[in-house]
Amino acid sequence: MNYKYAHILYREDDFLTPKRATFDHRTKTGFMTTWSIEHSSELLEHKYWNCLSAFGLESSTRRKISFERKHSDANLLYFKYELEVPEALEGYFDPTTLEVISKSLSLRETTEEVYKMLKDYEQGELRFNDRRFSSWLAGKVEKLQINDSEKNELENSLIKYVETIVGRVLWTVYNGDLPRMGKDLSSMVYLYTEMLDLTASK
């Protein structure tokens, strides 16, 4: 179990924390182990819950969960879920690129910095001939205590990640709606982090 993840189920004034939760991004299903039979019964009785998931202090997301049935183990439940962010984001998940970046940098900070540059460009504070991107890229890489080969790999991965956000996520997923994408940044980072961990565990 990865203790960096926390999940809170809630509906109206009811709150529950599962012992363990696993999400399958391909089928939008999962299973959850509760702390007691009473908790399992309560979740099944009301069926529909919201779930707030967080990865440390890095990122968080919300899902709508529908509990389907109970396993022969009284504390194990199966469920279906819906994301609060567009499912199309999952199509731009690149495990190789994200693994390289997350080994050396905070994915949350990196994503927020890319968004800030996009926002400044939209507001006319950044020009095409501005050296800010190259300076940002050099600053992300140069101070790290890694060898030249790793720096080169990280630089290439950062360029690819920025190209994905700017050229694909913003326009294909959000139709150029930068404020809407900004509201989903934490959820996007959480989604990619969770998918990366699940890929690594296979």
Side-chain angles (χ1 to χ4, degrees), residues 54-71:
F55 179 74
L57 299 176
E58 275 281 294
S59 56
S60 64
T61 195
R62 287 182 175 82
R63 301 177 173 101
K64 293 184 182 298
I65 287 186
S66 169
F67 287 98
E68 298 293 310
R69 59 190 174 89
K70 183 169 62 174
H71 189 267

Side-chain angles (χ1 to χ4, degrees), residues 1 9 13 38 53 59 69 111 130 149 163 165 189:
M1 182 175 179
L9 296 161
D13 294 329
E38 290 75 17
S53 299
S59 56
R69 59 190 174 89
T111 306
D130 200 306
S149 175
E163 287 175 345
I165 292 176
V189 171

